Every structure is written in structure tokens, then in C-alpha cells.
């Protein structure tokens, strides 16, 4: 059995299938396991707010040392042929680091002269903690720099580049290739130009590393923060009319987390309408509204002022006049879009895509999948971590039936 994609959906499925005694080959294109969910931070304040962020690491722990699961990280699927059984051809790239020796001490980051050449994994309990980008690393230019290898106290960095091609035969394939976050460079919000305009995924990573929300431009504490919702979703002009479902809940939880750590943070929340999330939503939302300024408008423009503030310009629907407000940091809540890999894998497997470009879920009788090919998680449309886990559970149940194990 092959599982393509080691996000929370793929990990859940791999762990469950292994529990049924199935030998699983788990393919992940990035050097790290866990997909997007592993990059999210826990948003608990004085109690758990059920954001689901801890689930990814739990699922990961269930898979990493499981003898039934062979993990192929840093691996691209090159071709898939057959009609069940299937033959998968793949190519794996070395992360240039011995995962079992790296203890995440961070010395390689301090020594590396090229920003971005060393990537950091997000799962604190599971290696590899780092991987090296061969396309940026100077060692692979002219061999002149190998500071990371020389200074690593664990001898974990080997810099011996290598690709390994392989083929396997499997009875069934689960596609769990997930989604791609919208990159807001085409919106008039200065993303990529103004350092203090960041995406919700950037904010997640920042809050995982540091407890306080600071301005990326100068490291000063951000006292005024704006969230702008529906960036790249519910946006017909960008070709993405659908709602991404999880963003309102995720951003409101993040806003409350920031306020719990920075008591005097002033937060404004620009939105179209707030999507319901979870059964405790009404109570959570009522509380959130007492401390967050909710503005039902989507800003048109962001300008950086001479004082390095961000001026957000929006049309106030209540007073019907154009207004401006000033912030230290603006967080763009980006939509969940179909990933380019979805299309590639769908083409290889002859899988139908829906109108939004996501893969139709397996079990959808209107668009049946080929025999032995299954889908789970956000590859089939925007969904939360809990929904991704239950979609993987449902799909495993179907697969077990297909493999004749129940
Ligand atoms: C900013 C942000 C905040 C969020 N906050 C929350 C929250 O608070 N609560 C919540 O429940 N949900 C939240 N979500 C949603 C959550 O991230 C998703 O529910 C979850 O990541 C979906 O898991 P997945 O495994 O389906 O997809 P992904 O996480 O996208 O994982 C897919 C994996 O497949 C790999 N892959 C893709 N193509 C290939 C290929 N061809 N070969 C091999 N591997 C491949 C990818 O590298 C990736 O590792 C948030 C999302 C974002 C962007």
C-alpha cells in the first residue's frame, strides 16, 4: 500500500493501516513530515481551545518508528502505471543530514552564511530537525564553504548529495497531497514588499518560535495588529470563489492567544462574515468580540507610512465613508487552494478534479475513482485537522475492505 503525502491525513492513514498489518510505503516530497498542520502552534490560552495543532505530532509519533511503515521523505513520485496492482517510480533526495544524529542544537543556522539554505523542521520530537537546500548551499557551488559540517557537534551533516531512484508495486494508493496556501503577492497589501505584512502561516511559524508577536522589520513588540480575512478565498476576481472554512476559527484563536500573551495588544479583525467552527463556537466568539474590534469590511489597500506603520484603507459599511487605521503588523489570513501536485498526481492516476481544482473524494459516486485509488484530507477540499483525520479514518475503512482484510 502506498500513501502519497505525509500531512496529518497521510500520517493518520499510514498509522491506521499499519495497525491492520498492512505494509505501508509513505511518500513525502518535502524533507520533513507533518505537512501544514505540524507548522501550526498550540493556541491554548488558560484552557485548550481545540485548535487541533497537537494532533499532527501525535499522528507523526505513531508512524515514525513503526516497522510496518517505510518512510520516503524528500521523495518525488515520477510515474505511476498499472491498473491495480500499481507500479510507482520515485526519486529520493538526501537531506544532507543524518536524521538520527541531529539534535536540533541550531549551530548550523548560526554558522551558515546563506539565508534560507538550511531549512528547519517543525516537529520538535522527530528528526530530521534540519535539511539543507542543495540549490542554495555554497558547498555545491564551488566546495568553498562547509562550515555547517565542520561545526556540527554531532557530526550529523554529511553534505554527500545523492539521489536514489526506486520502484515499488502496491495493491492500492492513497492520495493525501493536501493543499497549497494562497501566496498574496498579487493583492494590493504589500506582501513581499512590507516586512510587517505577513500571512497567517508566517504568523503561525513566528508564534511557534517566539511567544510574543513582534514586528519582523525591527523586532519591536507589535501593539496594534490587524487580521484581514478571505485573502485568496471568496475572491472571484482571483479565481477562488470558495470559502476556505478554517481561517476564521484559526485567526480568531490566534488573536486571542496574542492578547493572552500581550495584554494591551489592540487587534482589529477585517472580515466578510465569520464562519462557524466547532460546537463551542458561540461562546468563544462572544468572548472574542469583547476584546477584538470586528470590522465588517475587506480593506482595499495598505500603505507603509514614513513612521514605518501600516496604513490600512477600507470602506466602512456603517458610516459609508472611506477610513484608514494604523497597525504595526498586518496578518493576511490566506485561503487553502488546490496544490499543483494535486493536478500532477491526479493526471497520473486518472483521478477526477472538481470545479475548484481539488480531487474528488473517494466514495463520490458521481466521479468514481479507479479501483484501489483513494483520497483523504485537504487534497479533496479545504478542511480542518479534525476533519482531515476523520476523512483519513473513513478512507482507511474503505481500503481495508478493498484489501479484503475485513
Ligand atoms: C495558516 C493556517 C492555519 C490553520 N489553522 C488551523 C487550525 O487552527 N485548526 C485546524 O484544524 N486546521 C487549521 N489549518 C488547516 C490544516 O493545516 C489542515 O487541516 C491540514 O494541514 C490538512 O492536512 P493534509 O494532510 O490533508 O494536508 P497538508 O497539511 O497540506 O499535507 C499534505 C502533505 O503532502 C505532501 N505532498 C504534496 N504533494 C506531494 C507529492 N506529489 N508527493 C509526496 N508528497 C506530497 C506535502 O508536502 C504535505 O506534507 C490551518 C491552515 C493554514 C494554512
Amino acid at each position: 500500500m502506498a500513501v502519497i503525502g505525509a500531512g496529518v491525513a497521510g500520517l493518520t492513514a499510514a498509522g491506521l493501516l499499519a495497525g491492520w498489518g498492512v505494509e505501508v510505503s509513505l511518500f513525502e516530497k518535502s524533507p520533513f513530515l507533518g505537512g501544514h498542520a505540524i507548522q501550526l502552534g498550540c493556541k491554548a490560552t488558560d484552557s485548550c481551545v481545540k485548535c487541533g495543532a497537537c494532533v499532527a505530532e501525535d499522528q507523526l509519533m505513531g508512524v515514525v518508528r513503526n516497522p510496518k511503515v517505510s518512510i520516503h521523505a524528500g521523495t518525488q513520485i515520477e510515474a505511476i502505471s498499472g491498473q491495480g496492482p500499481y507500479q510507482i517510480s520515485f526519486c529520493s533526495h538526501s537531506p544532507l543530514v543524518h536524521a538520527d544524529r541531529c539534535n536540533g542544537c541550531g549551530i548550523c543556522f548560526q554558522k551558515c552564511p546563506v539565508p534560507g539554505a538550511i531549512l528547519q523542521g517543525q516537529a520538535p520530537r522527530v528528526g530530521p530537525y534540519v535539511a539543507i537546500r542543495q540549490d542554495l548551499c555554497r558547498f555545491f557551488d564551488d566546495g568553498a564553504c562547509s562550515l555547517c559540517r565542520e561545526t556540527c557537534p554531532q557530526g550529523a551533516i554529511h553534505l554527500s548529495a545523492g539521489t536514489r531512484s526506486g520502484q515499488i508495486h502496491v495493491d492500492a494508493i492513497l492520495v493525501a497531497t493536501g493543499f497549497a496556501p494562497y501566496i498574496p503577492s498579487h493583492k494590493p497589501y504589500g506582501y513581499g514588499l512590507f516586512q510587517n505584512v505577513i500571512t497567517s502561516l508566517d504568523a503561525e511559524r513566528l508564534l511557534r518560535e517566539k511567544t510574543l508577536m513582534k514586528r519582523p522589520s525591527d523586532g519591536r513588540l507589535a501593539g496594534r495588529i490587524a487580521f484581514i480575512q478571505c485573502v485568496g478565498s471568496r475572491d472571484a476576481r482571483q479565481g477562488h470563489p470558495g470559502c476556505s472554512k478554517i481561517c476564521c476559527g484559526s485567526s480568531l484563536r490566534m488573536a486571542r492567544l496574542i492578547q493572552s500573551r500581550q495584554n494591551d495588544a489592540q487587534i482589529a479583525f477585517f472580515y466578510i462574515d465569520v464562519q462557524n467552527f466547532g460546537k463551542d463556537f458561540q461562546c468563544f466568539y462572544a468572548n472574542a468580540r469583547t476584546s477584538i474590534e470586528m470590522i465588517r469590511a475587506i480593506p482595499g489597500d495598505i500603505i507603509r507610512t514614513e513612521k514605518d506603520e501600516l496604513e490600512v484603507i477600507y470602506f466602512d459599511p456603517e458610516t459609508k465613508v472611506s477610513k484608514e487605521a494604523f497597525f504595526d503588523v498586518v496578518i493576511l489570513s490566506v485561503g487553502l487552494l488546490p496544490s499543483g501536485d494535486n493536478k500532477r498526481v491526479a493526471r497520473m492516476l486518472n483521478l477526477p478534479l472538481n470545479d475548484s481544482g481539488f480531487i474528488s473524494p473517494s466514495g463520490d459516486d458521481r466521479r468514481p475513482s479507479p479501483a484501489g485509488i483513494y483520497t483523504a484530507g485537504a487534497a479533496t477540499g479545504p478542511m480542518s485537522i479534525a476533519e482531515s483525520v476523520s476523512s483519513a479514518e473513513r478512507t482507511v475503512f474503505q481500503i481495508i475492505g478493498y484489501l479484503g482484510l475485513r
Side-chain angles (χ1 to χ4, degrees):
M1 170 83 213
V3 174
I4 305 179
V8 71
L11 289 169
T12 304
L16 288 173
L17 285 161
W20 279 88
V22 178
E23 301 279 344
V24 181
S25 292
L26 176 60
F27 292 98
E28 168 55 51
K29 68 174 180 179
S30 95
F32 308 113
L33 308 181
H36 291 98
I38 206 87
Q39 302 172 39
L40 310 177
C42 167
K43 303 194 185 66
T45 48
D46 45 355
S47 58
C48 172
V49 291
K50 302 187 180 74
C51 70
C54 52
V55 173
E57 210 173 319
D58 291 346
Q59 300 295 353
L60 187 48
M61 296 309 285
V63 161
V64 270
R65 274 166 214 105
N66 192 320
K68 290 269 174 204
V69 183
S70 326
I71 296 174
H72 304 267
T75 298
Q76 279 291 354
I77 304 292
E78 307 266 273
I80 302 174
S81 55
Q83 293 180 332
Y86 295 90
Q87 176 174 301
I88 301 181
S89 307
F90 60 90
C91 181
S92 305
H93 299 270
S94 158
L96 309 173
V97 174
H98 294 293
D100 49 344
R101 291 192 209 159
C102 172
N103 65 1
C105 69
I107 290 176
C108 52
F109 286 101
Q110 291 159 20
K111 299 291 175 191
C112 178
V114 185
I118 300 185
L119 301 171
Q120 188 173 14
Q122 304 288 335
R125 288 183 292 162
V126 183
Y129 299 98
V130 299
I132 295 170
R133 280 187 58 174
Q134 202 175 321
D135 54 333
L136 293 181
C137 173
R138 284 197 191 149
F139 179 82
F140 296 96
D141 263 352
D142 52 10
C145 175
S146 54
L147 272 174
C148 57
R149 185 176 62 189
E150 285 153 27
T151 51
C152 174
Q154 302 294 318
I157 296 180
H158 57 67
L159 295 178
S160 342
T163 51
R164 190 175 62 85
S165 296
Q167 281 186 345
I168 55 160
H169 291 87
V170 292
D171 293 319
I173 299 176
L174 170 64
V175 179
T177 44
F179 65 93
Y182 176 71
I183 309 289
S185 19
H186 295 303
K187 300 289 282 182
Y189 295 149
Y191 183 71
L193 285 177
F194 309 152
Q195 276 179 286
N196 297 334
V197 175
I198 59 176
T199 67
S200 40
L201 198 52
D202 299 330
E204 291 279 355
R205 292 177 189 141
L206 285 178
L207 285 173
R208 265 186 82 120
E209 280 165 28
K210 304 191 177 83
T211 28
L212 301 176
M213 179 53 75
K214 298 192 173 167
R215 292 167 26 121
S217 65
D218 55 13
R220 272 178 29 218
L221 200 62
R224 297 160 303 166
I225 300 163
F227 283 81
I228 302 181
Q229 295 305 109
C230 301
V231 177
S233 45
R234 302 188 67 175
D235 187 343
R237 267 187 293 180
Q238 297 283 332
H240 310 298
C243 167
S244 290
K245 292 186 358 192
I246 58 94
C247 321
C248 290
S250 174
S251 297
L252 279 169
R253 288 182 182 113
M254 187 189 287
R256 293 286 282 171
L257 176 69
I258 294 170
Q259 282 182 329
S260 77
R261 292 173 177 176
Q262 294 165 228
N263 282 338
D264 46 1
Q266 293 167 25
I267 298 189
F269 199 84
F270 293 91
Y271 70 106
I272 298 175
D273 52 36
V274 170
Q275 293 298 309
N276 199 336
F277 57 90
K279 65 179 168 53
D280 303 332
F281 170 73
Q282 291 305 341
C283 181
F284 175 88
Y285 187 43
N287 272 334
R289 291 179 70 116
T290 59
S291 60
I292 297 170
E293 187 186 2
M294 302 295 293
I295 304 175
R296 195 166 196 170
I298 291 299
D301 250 324
I302 297 181
I303 297 166
R304 188 173 60 189
T305 68
E306 280 176 4
K307 287 198 259 165
D308 197 19
E309 295 169 312
L310 295 166
E311 178 180 350
V312 174
I313 299 165
Y314 66 99
F315 181 76
D316 182 359
E318 280 174 24
T319 57
K320 309 245 181 299
V321 292
S322 179
K323 284 192 171 172
E324 64 279 333
F326 296 87
F327 299 97
D328 296 312
V329 166
V330 172
I331 299 172
L332 307 177
S333 201
V334 289
L336 277 52
L337 306 183
S339 77
D341 278 282
N342 270 9
K343 234 187 224 164
R344 212 170 67 85
V345 174
R347 210 177 304 121
M348 281 184 202
L349 289 169
N350 206 11
L351 281 175
L353 297 178
N354 66 22
D355 297 341
S356 316
F358 288 98
I359 303 176
S360 295
S362 34
D364 183 342
D365 294 338
R366 288 161 303 147
R367 302 171 197 244
S369 310
I373 305 295
Y374 295 88
T375 54
T380 63
M383 61 176 80
S384 68
I385 292 168
E387 289 169 322
S388 304
V389 168
S390 50
S391 115
E393 290 167 347
R394 273 196 311 277
T395 308
V396 165
F397 193 65
Q398 294 169 11
I399 296 171
I400 293 303
Y402 178 78
L403 296 176
L405 295 173
R406 69 168 163 85

